[in-house]
Amino acid sequence: MLVMITDLKDKHHWINPLYVKSIRTNRKGQTEIIGSISYMGSMIKTNESAESVADRISVAMPDSPAWQAATGAAVLSDEQQRAAAAAAAG
């Protein structure tokens, strides 16, 4: 799930959370989102708090419970995962 970030110039960026490398706060109190691919450039700066950005990016990650609930993805217990793996191998 993409996450919208508004930069310091009020430009909207739709970020794929899988490509976010790190989030940090700079000396000016701005949040810097550093990406691992070229479409993000070296970083995007925003006035949103680092905690808020990190929370929104974490929720958008495919393995998060919030993402699974939003997309209807099944959350399997360890036992269910073993049974599914055994059935696929069998």
Side-chain angles (χ1 to χ4, degrees), residues 20-76:
V20 173
K21 204 167 161 183
S22 69
I23 298 168
R24 65 183 179 203
T25 303
N26 65 18
R27 293 180 191 180
K28 296 179 181 179
Q30 301 162 335
T31 299
E32 299 174 343
I33 305 158
I34 296 96
S36 63
I37 61 171
S38 62
Y39 84 85
M40 284 183 66
S42 60
M43 77 177 70
I44 296 171
K45 294 181 183 179
T46 183
N47 284 321
E48 185 176 349
S49 74
E51 291 81 12
S52 175
V53 171
D55 285 346
R56 294 192 305 122
I57 287 174
S58 293
V59 166
M61 293 296 282
D63 62 346
S64 78
W67 182 87
Q68 291 171 345
T71 61
V75 179
L76 302 178

